[in-house]
Amino acid sequence: MAKTIEEINEKIRRGKAVVFNAEEVIKVVKSKGLKKAATEVDVVTTGTFAPMCSSGAYFNVGHTNPRIKLGGGFVTLNGVPVYTGYAAVDILLGATAMQVEDPLNRIYPGKFLYGGAHVIEDLVSGRDVKLVARAYGTDCYPRKQLETWIRLEDMNEAVLLNLRNAYQNYNVGVNLSDHVIHTYMGVLQPRMRNATYCSAGQLSPLLNDPFYRTLGMGTRIFLGGGIGYVLGGGTQHNPSVPRTERGLPRMGAGTLSVRGELKQMNPRWLRGASMTGYGVSLAVGIGVPIPVLDEEIMHYTAVTDADIVAQVVDYSEAYPNCVPGSLGEVSYAELKSGSIKIQGKNVPTASLSSYARAREIADILKRWIVEGSFFLTQPVEPIPSVEAGLRCKALNERPVVNGPGPSR
Amino acid sequence: MAQLKVVLQFPPNLIEQPITYQLIKKHDLMVNILGARITPKEQGRLVVEISGKKKNLDAALRFLKEIGVGVEPLARDVTWHEDRCIECTACTSICPTGALSVSRPEMRVTFNHGKCIACELCVPVCPYKAMEIVSK
Ligand code: SF4
Ligand code: SF4
């Protein structure tokens, strides 16, 4: 029997909604059977907490007296440059931006101690951040210099705006070379002495709704400890990759773009990450509620780590040089056992995504729904699925020669 | 009950001697080997945790010095900042002693200070600066 989102919301209002996290629901479906479970269960909550580089935030810092036009000027927050190409006092901060004087990888491997993600974490923690600005000055915005402390509560608007989060599945990273390499998949030991992965597997949002049937623009979610919204598919959203019989992508596929007000978020769920030799990233906590509208959705949410597979990729040669292919396919059940077998070799595994925290997020979201403080939304626009035929393209480089300019 | 974490340096002529055996048998101590390495120059380096009666421990340290084994305390200490740890498990496959470990299938991370040999391998691996080396 099919349900609607309004019906589920009505049950939430009456305190009658039946909610499980995506781990618990596996047993529920197993013991009750799909049909019965689909009528009884209303919502399955998912979660993920991992570094997500394509994150950032924009702020309106308020006007000074006399006025200053930051737009087109140069502005830093705790030494980290922000993007100023907007109106007078709107600025945009990217998670991976580094302090101007950071040695980066000049001293290899760089430590990347403090970047945009750490500024976001500091702001959400209520700490003072130093804003320094240089502007060119105009008749209506005469001021040219600004140096001040500022905190989150001082800002007019402070919005987390992430271009690509919650990757639906990801690679398993290994290193076939004979030296240590430092990647966004962490520190990879030579000759495949370790393997790293980055997904919450059976708890992960998009692996519980593999064809994006229930979410889209406007879906209300747990974001950074507060409430956020899905804007749509994220950058590099790539639904048309090979899938298993269950419809699960065998590699990175769908992504989400999300936004939410920073002022109601919590630093436990927005953490600056320093990836040695690679750069800074922001660990973002995201939880998506999946309304159990019918048996098919119930089936998808009962996904287990054994059902989900990922590709093992060499990050010393294959990844940097875009060599397609995989060293092997492993399941998340194997990855989470602590060791996988690749080409006859036992390789210890470790995760960059926190499964323990993913579960905590799913449980918080569950509590909100059970308590009646979080209601589901009907998306106003779906996220393109397989039939849209989208494919993520590589950049087609065209030689630039001196001449009359780009061809039109 | 006394407990001590030390680095034992073995000169080449002592490498083949059953010294830990003697610590256990003769001095009635518990010896927990946390790390072992033999360098190219045949210097042996053993990180051990020794525990037993204070009296026996002192006698054992005298014995080691007499036969020419270098005994140094672990010079560095490692702190796990639990509040900074997100329990991702990234460090756990790199930790040689299992001081950082994961409970499965819950995937909770814990740090057992007693097993840590301050090798520092986890420090650059943790993106959240949760592992800190403190010089003593
Ligand atoms: S320093 Fe880190 S990696 Fe080395 S033993 Fe201690 S906890 Fe393990
Ligand atoms: S790498 Fe850091 S955050 Fe991750 S489990 Fe280890 S100590 Fe915790």
Side-chain angles (χ1 to χ4, degrees):
Chain A
M1 193 199 68
K3 294 191 212 76
T4 65
I5 285 183
E6 291 87 273
E7 282 162 6
I8 294 173
N9 278 341
E10 186 48 38
K11 285 177 93 174
I12 298 175
R13 210 164 283 126
R14 287 188 283 118
K16 291 266 159 59
V18 178
V19 189
F20 292 101
N21 74 33
E23 189 183 77
E24 299 164 335
V25 84
I26 297 168
K27 278 206 191 101
V28 174
V29 171
K30 214 170 186 178
S31 67
K32 292 190 189 274
L34 203 56
K35 217 183 174 100
K36 191 143 180 277
T39 45
E40 290 183 18
V41 181
D42 297 306
V43 187
V44 174
T45 57
T46 65
T48 182
F49 188 52
M52 305 189 193
C53 291
S54 229
S55 301
Y58 67 81
F59 309 97
N60 179 287
V61 298
H63 288 276
T64 54
N65 182 10
R67 290 181 195 269
I68 187 167
K69 179 181 184 298
L70 304 179
F74 182 75
V75 178
T76 59
L77 290 173
N78 276 357
V80 179
V82 302
Y83 182 68
T84 62
Y86 291 104
V89 292
D90 287 343
I91 54 175
L92 175 73
L93 171 67
T96 69
M98 292 305 302
Q99 285 176 322
V100 185
E101 65 270 28
D102 192 285
L104 308 173
N105 258 344
R106 283 193 290 274
I107 304 162
Y108 181 83
K111 291 190 166 146
F112 299 93
L113 290 176
Y114 195 90
H118 298 98
V119 177
I120 293 173
E121 181 184 334
D122 276 345
L123 283 168
V124 173
S125 305
R127 295 192 192 106
D128 265 331
V129 161
K130 195 204 260 176
L131 185 158
V132 177
R134 260 192 340 258
Y136 53 82
T138 73
D139 291 340
C140 46
Y141 292 89
R143 190 157 171 188
K144 291 185 177 167
Q145 305 270 358
L146 173 64
E147 188 170 336
T148 178
W149 293 107
I150 188 164
R151 27 174 113 168
L152 198 59
E153 63 190 69
D154 303 332
M155 316 250 192
N156 288 315
E157 288 80 21
V159 177
L160 188 73
L161 178 64
N162 299 349
L163 311 186
R164 175 169 76 253
N165 281 175
Y167 235 121
Q168 185 181 26
N169 210 347
Y170 214 78
N171 294 338
V172 178
V174 294
N175 171 11
L176 292 181
S177 78
D178 55 9
H179 58 275
V180 176
I181 60 171
H182 299 85
T183 72
Y184 66 79
M185 292 301 288
V187 183
L188 295 174
Q189 301 295 322
R191 291 181 213 93
M192 228 159 54
R193 286 218 308 270
N194 68 339
T196 55
Y197 62 99
C198 191
S199 171
Q202 63 194 16
L203 273 172
S204 181
L206 295 184
L207 289 171
N208 279 275
D209 183 3
F211 296 106
Y212 333 111
R213 272 196 56 203
T214 68
L215 35 66
M217 175 179 270
T219 298
R220 185 179 290 131
I221 58 171
F222 171 108
L223 179 60
I227 302 284
Y229 294 88
V230 171
L231 297 178
T235 52
Q236 293 179 24
H237 178 69
N238 197 21
S240 307
V241 302
R243 289 178 183 248
T244 65
E245 263 170 46
R246 225 190 141 94
L248 298 162
R250 294 175 180 271
M251 56 194 71
T255 67
L256 295 179
S257 170
V258 302
R259 70 155 267 162
E261 308 284 334
L262 270 179
K263 287 186 189 177
Q264 37 106 49
M265 294 188 193
N266 177 329
R268 183 168 171 82
W269 305 111
L270 284 178
R271 295 284 305 278
S274 300
M275 314 291 297
T276 304
Y278 177 74
V280 162
S281 188
L282 182 69
V284 184
I286 295 185
V288 176
I290 315 271
V292 182
L293 302 176
D294 54 33
E295 270 177 46
E296 188 187 62
I297 292 168
M298 186 82 273
H299 165 70
Y300 287 137
T301 58
V303 65
T304 69
D305 284 327
D307 301 323
I308 313 166
V309 293
Q311 307 302 314
V312 181
V313 174
D314 166 40
Y315 274 71
S316 69
E317 267 297 311
Y319 184 85
N321 300 311
C322 304
V323 182
S326 142
L327 297 170
E329 193 174 79
V330 290
S331 76
Y332 280 89
E334 294 168 279
L335 286 164
K336 280 169 68 186
S337 76
S339 156
I340 52 173
K341 213 172 183 118
I342 314 170
Q343 303 183 333
K345 190 179 171 185
N346 281 321
V347 184
T349 56
S351 178
L352 295 166
S353 177
S354 174
Y355 188 82
R357 295 295 172 88
R359 192 198 295 110
E360 198 178 323
I361 290 173
D363 281 339
I364 295 172
L365 188 52
K366 174 175 143 183
R367 200 182 68 228
W368 287 352
I369 297 170
V370 171
E371 282 170 357
S373 62
F374 186 105
F375 291 89
L376 309 190
T377 55
Q378 181 76 51
V380 294
E381 186 74 30
I383 291 172
S385 189
V386 178
E387 56 288 350
L390 286 181
R391 286 215 186 262
C392 183
K393 296 193 288 278
L395 175 65
N396 174 27
E397 292 178 61
R398 287 175 291 135
V400 177
V401 283
N402 292 332
S407 57
R408 280 166 204 274
Chain B
M1 245 320 247
Q3 201 180 38
L4 202 62
K5 229 192 260 183
V6 287
V7 184
L8 304 181
Q9 304 273 7
F10 293 80
N13 60 320
L14 287 180
I15 281 184
E16 315 234 302
Q17 303 281 321
I19 288 166
T20 43
Y21 173 79
Q22 297 203 27
L23 292 182
I24 298 165
K25 200 77 185 166
K26 260 178 70 183
H27 296 273
D28 193 23
L29 295 169
M30 266 171 47
V31 180
N32 189 7
I33 301 179
L34 300 169
R37 201 173 61 200
I38 297 182
T39 61
K41 283 189 207 142
E42 296 275 289
Q43 271 271 355
R45 187 174 182 274
L46 203 60
V47 185
V48 290
E49 188 179 57
I50 316 175
S51 48
K53 290 210 183 83
K54 176 89 173 64
K55 174 173 96 237
N56 295 350
L57 211 64
D58 292 342
L61 291 178
R62 271 199 305 279
F63 156 72
L64 287 169
K65 277 184 191 144
E66 271 163 24
I67 62 168
V69 176
V71 183
E72 294 159 26
L74 263 190
R76 290 156 180 278
D77 194 26
V78 171
T79 306
W80 177 54
H81 295 282
E82 198 173 343
D83 55 325
R84 289 191 217 155
C85 173
I86 71 154
E87 300 185 72
C88 62
T89 76
C91 55
T92 57
S93 72
I94 245 154
C95 175
T97 66
L100 284 158
S101 65
V102 200
S103 65
R104 302 177 194 275
E106 303 79 19
M107 306 304 284
R108 304 294 314 254
V109 174
T110 48
F111 176 60
N112 181 342
H113 187 262
K115 283 191 178 173
C116 176
I117 53 165
C119 69
E120 306 183 22
L121 285 174
C122 55
V123 176
V125 169
C126 176
Y128 308 95
K129 302 168 194 123
M131 302 309 296
E132 194 186 12
I133 301 288
V134 196
S135 296
K136 279 201 239 179

